[in-house]
Amino acid sequence: MTTQSEGPRTRTNFNKNWKFFLGDEPTAKSTNFNDSKWRKLTLPHDWSIEGKFDEKTPAKPEGGGLPTGIGWYRKEFTAPANLQNRLITIEFDGVYKNSEVWVNGNCLGKRPYGYTSFFYEIGRFLKPGKNIIAVKVDNSAQPDSRWYSGSGIYRNVWLTSTAKVAVAKWGTFVTTENTGKVNVRTQIENKTLRPQIIAIVNSVYSADGKLVVKGQAQALKIDTSGTTVTGDLSINNPVLWSVQNPYQYKLVTEILQNNQIIDRYETKFGVRAFNFDAEKGFSLNGKPMKILGVCLHHDLGALGAAINVRAMERQLEMMKAMGVNAIRTAHNPPAPEFLDLCDKMGFLVMDEAFDMWAKKKTKNDYHLHFKAWHKRDLEDMILRDRNHPSIILWSIGNEIREQFDSTGVAITKELVGIVKNLDQTRPVLSALTETDAKKNFIYQANALDIYGLNYNHKLYKDFPKNYPGVKFLATETTSALATRGFYDTADTIRRWPKDGKTKFAEGNKEWSASAYDNVSAYWGSTHEETWKEAKKYDHVSGLFVWTGFDYLGEPLPYPWPARSSYFGIVDLAGFPKDAYYMYQSEWTTKPVLHILPHWNWEKGKAVEVWAYYSNADEVELYLNGKSLGKKSKQGEDLHVQWNVDFEPGTLKAVSRKNSKEVLVREVKTAGAAAKIELIADRKNIKADGTDLSFITVRILDKDGNIVPNADNMVDFKVAGAGFIAGVDNGFQASLEPFKAAYRKAFHGLCLAILQATEKAGTIKLTASSAGLSSSSITINTAK
Ligand code: GAL
């Protein structure tokens, strides 16, 4: 018999036409509930980001100072055709948190962990025609995550229909060797209630869609518990996946019955090999390279936790341009699309499961569910993610409290076992802080492949002496603090807060931290202090700087109204702070010249002028045409510096190599704010309902110089085929809403994020501000 009559699987985006209610409405699970008054929306959705900042919010400033609570989602949908012969699955990429799902009033289950992806088979509850799905999301128990989590169905939802004999979800595992040998393990389900005879065929396609190799059909009899089959294929002269050339192949798995294709399952993969060495560090495809990484939380600034592929891609583009080659998904599994982007754009990834185990960090965090759910959540992360060529490390946890007591030994062994059972091709580590290995019970478990150390950069040097033969990675570093465009010199580097007894730093009345790279948390170090150590030693396989971007929540070192982090190399709006260019000068091969600070000071003030540069022997600085001398980096220096008595005019830096000019940078004293300039990151975007154009708003004087301290209120009007998805200015203590048609500039800049509708056309954004001439920009959207 054939198990089904129509074609192979369909996977449909299930984001549209949801109804939403903020609050608890227990009867909404039943089919006949009337939701006509509820708000209609399209997922992904984060209700927290739509709320008002409030010091008293249960999530506290540490959680971003935005509302959490309970929310309900409902959707009426038409069941896929031929129900009785199909397996119908609903897939949630992420719901924050404690989701409960009902289909036609039938409870499918609960999922406490808000960062996990999960799915339910729903066919047996469906009827032909109209059906109702209801989802309760409960993020009311706070404090929870130590950063902003967002609330709601904040990642994509999918509806899949397959034959009753099909490849299981996350059912393939592709491993490769650089010789071109490809091993495929496939889990096949049989829900027909009787044994079936089928054949399975694997084919590999090149990135441009050409058939590379087709395996032999393998005939199988499968009983009702399903089966797992393995097979080998061989690619001649494979193109290797690397950071520079992130080449991916596509495996197509076909299941045939009676000469008909009843399932077709696609798996992207890359051919690459890597190694960690205790002395020589990391290598990819045999070539030594340092892992130059940043840690990223999952929020997308003004867009909150609601995932948007373009917003993630923009973050990664900025990281790539800075020279970053690796991302640590701190401290939880990311959206699947984030990993797809890393595969495609060439980033290495450390995929992290947890920020705590059974011992809590906050009252209502995942420790409450760890016992019941850790196995399932960890397994699901590995099963979901193990085909991504970008992933080179599994982290079972960040700064886990069980380091400090003997329960850590057994849990570490168990978690490592869970991972190794599903994937033996990648090392497992944990980001540790207890530096005395004898006292570190996670280390004592003797189960980890690599020693991952957070902070403590002074210990890098002697690591090989203290831990002979142990592989080493700086899993988290730095925690420097800065506010874009704010400069404050100090004779010594500041530690804010200064020690473990002080919660907040004295700080300043601007709620800012200097962008001269002279402030860090006491457990951390400045960007330069850290990188100088990490770059010195080959045995340091790499580092993950805390953090690439500012993120919502954890506003250390300030109390309210600070509500987002100061750690980012780039601010929350996506404007680089100055340290960005230090990394760029060190981590890329392109010529860099960047000078700081701005050039608007009181006459006579002694100002430190810094230059980051590369691909040059020296930099000469001029003030109003007069040379202030040439400087070049000595020894370990990462920048050069002049002390200049301020006078208004033009500060100009020229970098030279062998006396030939490489780059010139100028900064001019700005006059009064006079006009607005709008710059789009992309002027042509897709009319797909999700694509974005990020518009940088610059406040200029009449001559076109950016006004460095401008804080003008900017009003936006938008017309045509788009809307404002969010606004921001990167200031960590701004309490203006992110969903608004206005924003104050901060140090001369703010941002408006335009989102396309599904109608092709143009989006016109007009920005105006009292006393300034206004400006507009037009973005084209096309199908
Ligand atoms: C680390 C922690 C991060 C973040 C950071 C701030 O210890 O792993 O999640 O809290 O400190 O400096």
Side-chain angles (χ1 to χ4, degrees):
M1 66 147 254
T2 46
T3 47
Q4 53 97 52
S5 48
E6 80 256 42
R9 68 177 57 219
T10 56
R11 187 167 187 257
T12 322
N13 180 291
F14 205 62
N15 288 344
K16 281 191 186 161
N17 297 318
W18 286 80
K19 294 292 202 67
F20 172 68
F21 175 75
L22 183 55
D24 198 6
E25 188 52 84
T27 53
K29 59 166 112 30
S30 63
T31 316
N32 51 16
F33 180 82
N34 181 355
D35 62 16
S36 58
K37 295 232 165 63
W38 287 17
R39 170 177 157 201
K40 198 174 158 192
L41 53 74
T42 300
L43 304 176
H45 173 240
D46 169 10
W47 78 71
S48 296
I49 203 70
E50 300 170 345
K52 277 205 178 87
F53 287 109
D54 182 353
E55 186 177 6
K56 301 263 145 39
T57 192
K60 308 214 169 138
E62 287 79 359
L66 288 166
T68 47
I70 296 178
W72 279 83
Y73 296 83
R74 290 180 102 246
K75 172 172 162 133
E76 184 182 293
F77 65 103
T78 306
N82 195 12
L83 265 183
Q84 63 285 6
N85 292 323
R86 304 291 283 177
L87 263 183
I88 317 290
T89 308
I90 182 109
E91 306 170 11
F92 292 88
D93 288 347
V95 181
Y96 209 93
K97 63 172 188 174
N98 285 320
S99 65
E100 284 173 76
V101 185
W102 293 266
V103 166
N104 296 329
N106 301 287
C107 181
L108 303 178
K110 283 190 186 189
R111 244 3 236 254
Y113 196 31
Y115 300 112
T116 210
S117 295
F118 58 96
F119 56 90
Y120 300 108
E121 204 278 293
I122 59 172
R124 63 187 184 278
F125 301 121
L126 295 180
K127 52 188 196 311
K130 300 268 172 256
N131 293 269
I132 297 282
I133 182 164
V135 182
K136 179 186 177 187
V137 183
D138 186 349
N139 192 20
S140 56
Q142 296 291 332
D144 168 30
S145 286
R146 295 182 298 110
W147 52 87
Y148 173 83
S149 64
S151 310
I153 309 180
Y154 71 105
R155 292 181 184 161
N156 289 318
V157 182
W158 308 91
L159 191 71
T160 299
S161 164
T162 68
K164 290 206 166 170
V165 175
V167 176
K169 171 129 181 96
W170 305 329
T172 55
F173 184 31
V174 185
T175 55
T176 64
E177 289 169 25
N178 282 9
T179 53
K181 188 173 166 212
V182 178
N183 180 270
V184 183
R185 192 184 312 167
T186 317
Q187 190 196 339
I188 303 170
E189 288 188 317
N190 172 13
K191 299 281 169 153
T192 62
L193 306 178
R194 68 189 82 181
Q196 298 288 343
I197 309 271
I198 56 148
I200 174 171
V201 187
N202 280 315
S203 312
V204 172
Y205 290 84
S206 64
D208 57 359
K210 298 205 179 81
L211 182 66
V212 175
V213 54
K214 184 168 186 158
Q216 294 279 325
Q218 212 178 329
L220 295 171
K221 182 172 179 193
I222 45 173
D223 65 25
T224 52
S225 57
T227 188
T228 297
V229 281
T230 55
D232 287 332
L233 294 163
S234 177
I235 303 175
N236 267 333
N237 296 320
V239 182
L240 302 184
W241 184 97
S242 68
V243 165
Q244 296 77 17
N245 182 30
Y247 188 93
Q248 287 184 86
Y249 290 94
K250 185 167 76 187
L251 170 77
V252 174
T253 305
E254 286 171 329
I255 297 183
L256 293 102
Q257 193 165 44
N258 300 334
N259 292 323
Q260 273 192 344
I261 297 172
I262 59 165
D263 193 20
R264 189 172 192 281
Y265 188 92
E266 296 185 355
T267 311
K268 281 197 172 170
F269 69 96
V271 180
R272 76 327 169 237
F274 61 86
N275 186 48
F276 284 86
D277 184 275
E279 276 119 53
K280 294 194 221 112
F282 181 74
S283 60
L284 180 63
N285 300 325
K287 292 194 197 93
M289 66 180 273
K290 222 182 194 59
I291 295 171
L292 306 173
V294 292
C295 303
L296 289 181
H297 271 314
H298 69 304
D299 79 63
L300 297 168
L303 304 176
I307 75 130
N308 178 290
V309 172
R310 173 55 201 160
M312 297 191 291
E313 184 185 54
R314 170 184 178 248
Q315 287 197 333
L316 289 172
E317 283 171 356
M318 294 181 69
M319 292 295 105
K320 190 107 206 173
M322 176 180 131
V324 169
N325 63 24
I327 307 288
R328 174 187 182 204
T329 68
H331 302 297
N332 45 260
E337 292 80 0
F338 184 83
L339 296 171
D340 293 341
L341 285 168
C342 290
D343 292 342
K344 199 169 92 183
M345 296 170 75
F347 286 95
L348 304 166
V349 173
M350 169 172 158
D351 199 356
E352 192 153 68
F354 305 118
D355 190 44
M356 78 299 293
W357 296 347
K359 288 194 159 45
K360 69 178 168 201
K361 288 189 178 171
T362 71
K363 186 164 167 232
N364 291 298
D365 67 23
Y366 182 75
H367 82 281
L368 297 173
H369 306 288
F370 184 80
K371 190 159 180 264
W373 284 96
H374 68 274
K375 182 162 188 288
R376 183 68 194 274
D377 288 329
L378 184 57
E379 280 178 351
D380 284 355
M381 175 178 105
I382 309 293
L383 288 170
R384 189 195 74 167
D385 293 348
R386 63 186 175 170
N387 290 316
H388 288 282
S390 56
I391 297 178
I392 53 158
L393 288 161
W394 302 118
S395 166
I396 52 171
N398 172 58
E399 300 190 352
I400 296 296
R401 295 282 186 255
E402 281 85 344
Q403 288 174 91
F404 309 110
D405 80 83
S406 59
T407 61
V409 174
I411 303 180
T412 306
K413 283 187 181 155
E414 190 207 344
L415 298 184
V416 173
I418 291 169
V419 178
K420 298 277 177 188
N421 190 34
L422 296 172
D423 178 18
Q424 293 182 13
T425 72
R426 295 173 177 92
V428 184
L429 53 52
S430 179
L432 305 172
T433 41
E434 171 52 70
T435 54
D436 182 348
K438 283 184 233 67
K439 288 198 215 136
N440 189 324
F441 291 94
I442 293 182
Y443 184 74
Q444 288 304 327
N446 212 8
L448 299 172
D449 299 303
I450 292 173
Y451 195 113
L453 179 67
N454 285 7
Y455 302 96
N456 299 293
H457 64 294
K458 294 278 187 223
L459 302 181
Y460 298 172
K461 179 168 178 264
D462 289 333
F463 189 85
K465 211 162 73 200
N466 296 334
Y467 300 87
V470 177
K471 297 166 185 176
F472 178 71
L473 178 68
T475 34
E476 189 176 316
T477 70
T478 315
S479 277
L481 305 161
T483 298
R484 174 188 52 80
F486 179 83
Y487 302 96
D488 185 0
T489 41
D491 294 340
T492 52
I493 286 167
R494 292 164 212 186
R495 307 297 174 193
W496 282 1
K498 64 176 189 302
D499 54 34
K501 284 178 253 135
T502 350
K503 186 160 178 210
F504 300 119
E506 198 183 306
N508 54 47
K509 60 182 184 333
E510 286 93 351
W511 305 94
S512 292
S514 173
Y516 271 117
D517 191 18
N518 53 7
V519 195
S520 87
Y522 72 85
W523 56 87
S525 38
T526 66
H527 295 286
E528 292 198 0
E529 285 175 322
T530 321
W531 174 235
K532 276 179 190 171
E533 284 303 293
K535 74 183 279 195
K536 247 186 250 172
Y537 310 110
D538 286 346
H539 65 265
V540 179
S541 308
L543 76 170
F544 287 95
V545 180
W546 190 267
T547 47
F549 277 75
D550 277 342
Y551 52 92
L552 287 158
E554 206 176 29
L556 185 127
Y558 284 111
W560 190 261
R563 46 61 176 168
S564 58
S565 85
Y566 290 73
F567 299 115
I569 299 166
V570 177
D571 78 12
L572 197 69
F575 304 132
K577 303 177 191 174
D578 297 288
Y580 183 91
Y581 302 96
M582 186 282 281
Y583 289 108
Q584 200 175 46
S585 71
E586 287 283 299
W587 289 5
T588 74
T589 52
K590 60 189 163 202
V592 172
L593 176 61
H594 176 78
I595 51 173
L596 59 145
H598 59 74
W599 208 238
N600 275 57
W601 301 97
E602 276 164 36
K603 210 164 162 94
K605 182 181 163 66
V607 181
E608 273 184 20
V609 176
W610 287 32
Y612 297 121
Y613 72 92
S614 63
N615 295 13
D617 316 314
E618 60 181 29
V619 179
E620 186 162 8
L621 188 71
Y622 302 84
L623 178 57
N624 295 328
K626 199 175 131 230
S627 174
L628 301 179
K630 295 174 184 170
K631 302 254 170 166
S632 51
K633 292 184 267 193
Q634 308 295 320
E636 295 183 356
D637 288 352
L638 296 171
H639 72 268
V640 287
Q641 185 181 324
W642 296 259
N643 294 320
V644 182
D645 289 335
F646 176 74
E647 60 181 68
T650 303
L651 194 65
K652 178 171 141 182
V654 180
S655 64
R656 297 192 188 95
K657 189 171 187 143
N658 301 327
S659 308
K660 263 185 62 194
E661 191 172 294
V662 180
L663 289 171
V664 179
R665 293 284 179 264
E666 276 187 355
V667 21
K668 293 185 178 176
T669 308
K675 55 188 182 188
I676 298 173
E677 183 186 30
L678 300 178
I679 303 168
D681 69 332
R682 292 182 314 149
K683 284 199 131 182
N684 298 296
I685 63 174
K686 284 192 241 78
D688 62 0
T690 64
D691 206 2
L692 305 172
S693 183
F694 288 82
I695 315 288
T696 298
V697 181
R698 300 183 357 134
I699 308 293
L700 307 179
D701 72 2
K702 65 175 181 14
D703 300 321
N705 300 307
I706 185 149
V707 182
N709 287 321
D711 60 357
N712 308 60
M713 174 61 86
V714 181
D715 288 300
F716 299 109
K717 272 210 185 71
V718 63
F723 58 96
I724 296 175
V727 291
D728 194 6
N729 60 19
F731 180 36
Q732 293 104 339
S734 164
L735 298 182
E736 293 173 292
F738 290 121
K739 302 278 180 194
Y742 61 88
R743 191 73 176 187
K744 279 179 90 168
F746 179 65
H747 293 301
L749 300 177
C750 64
L751 175 82
I753 308 168
L754 296 180
Q755 185 164 345
T757 61
E758 289 186 7
K759 238 178 82 193
T762 57
I763 316 173
K764 186 176 175 192
L765 178 77
T766 305
S768 54
S769 181
L772 309 185
S773 48
S774 52
S775 181
S776 55
I777 192 166
T778 301
I779 305 302
N780 304 309
T781 78
K783 281 285 175 195

